[in-house]
Amino acid sequence: MPLTREDARMHRAQTLLLVAALAAAGCGAPARYLNRSADLSGISTVAVLPFENVTTDKLCAERVHKIFVTELLARDAFKVVEPGLVARVVRRDQLDPAALSPEEIKRTGQALGAQAFFLGAVLEYDEGRSGGYAPSPRVKLLLRLVDAETGATVWSVSRERGGATVSARLFGIGGHPASSLAEELIREELALFAR
């Protein structure tokens, strides 16, 4: 039985509503902090400490850390201390990047010649392949920039992104892996530091 004009209009309206709802899914405002009195232009050399992992994926923090370092280097906003040197100092001094004291931050900054540290935590990292018709990956990251001299947080953001793309939800195809979502979030946040 052919659709009436009214049925077709109703169907179109429902489809547009569904697309709008799917596009809005997972789009919450990030929690962001920027110390207005901090002089970001005074920071020329940074080190990226190993990221904390609070997920069940044992390797995701290392993957996200590598993505972060690559994106930071691509910005060319800071001189970045070689990650291998950072890892060596962290191991040698038996540091826990998730629980550094201001004294440890200052001492490590001096050892690495860094004026600030980027720290991160992977709070959620899920490829979203558990059932359903389309993958629905989710990523949630906490990123911070800490002054090496004072131990004060200069910048902090908590961001998440996830869910299947509209085409993946509607047709069960496509979608992005969690690593791509992490890369997008990191790239967006590091845009603040472009010089």
Side-chain angles (χ1 to χ4, degrees):
M1 182 157 91
L3 290 176
T4 66
R5 185 174 279 180
E6 184 61 33
D7 288 340
R9 192 176 314 134
M10 181 64 93
H11 183 265
R12 196 171 331 131
Q14 289 172 337
T15 302
L16 288 173
L17 184 61
L18 174 65
V19 169
L22 292 175
C27 296
R32 184 176 287 118
Y33 166 78
L34 177 62
N35 183 335
R36 299 284 180 208
S37 64
D39 181 15
L40 293 177
S41 66
I43 300 172
S44 61
T45 304
V46 297
V48 183
L49 293 177
F51 282 13
E52 181 184 5
N53 184 5
V54 295
T55 74
T56 56
D57 182 334
K58 295 188 186 310
L59 299 176
C60 70
E62 186 177 331
R63 285 192 298 265
V64 173
H65 178 269
K66 288 180 181 186
I67 291 168
F68 186 90
V69 170
T70 301
E71 290 297 325
L72 184 61
L73 288 167
R75 293 271 155 248
D76 200 25
F78 304 104
K79 179 181 175 196
V80 179
V81 177
E82 176 59 37
L85 177 59
V86 175
R88 229 178 350 267
V89 168
V90 167
R91 271 195 311 275
R92 180 193 72 201
D93 295 346
Q94 298 178 341
L95 299 173
D96 177 4
L100 292 173
S101 70
E103 295 80 24
E104 289 173 320
I105 290 172
K106 186 172 184 175
R107 190 172 57 247
T108 307
Q110 291 169 347
L112 294 171
Q115 296 159 312
F117 292 101
F118 278 103
L119 295 98
V122 182
L123 305 177
E124 188 176 353
Y125 192 93
D126 183 2
E127 292 292 351
R129 300 193 191 285
S130 58
Y133 294 103
S136 184
R138 294 203 62 76
V139 172
K140 184 170 185 179
L141 306 176
L142 174 63
L143 305 169
R144 294 190 302 143
L145 179 64
V146 175
D147 182 275
E149 184 65 28
T150 65
T153 297
V154 176
W155 167 82
S156 178
V157 66
S158 175
R159 288 282 308 268
E160 65 183 295
R161 182 159 294 161
T165 62
V166 173
S167 63
R169 287 187 182 183
L170 291 176
F171 307 112
I173 58 171
H176 300 290
S179 60
S180 292
L181 297 178
E183 186 177 333
E184 289 171 10
L185 289 180
I186 290 167
R187 186 176 295 137
E188 289 168 12
E189 289 305 321
L190 288 180
L192 168 71
F193 302 104
R195 291 185 180 169

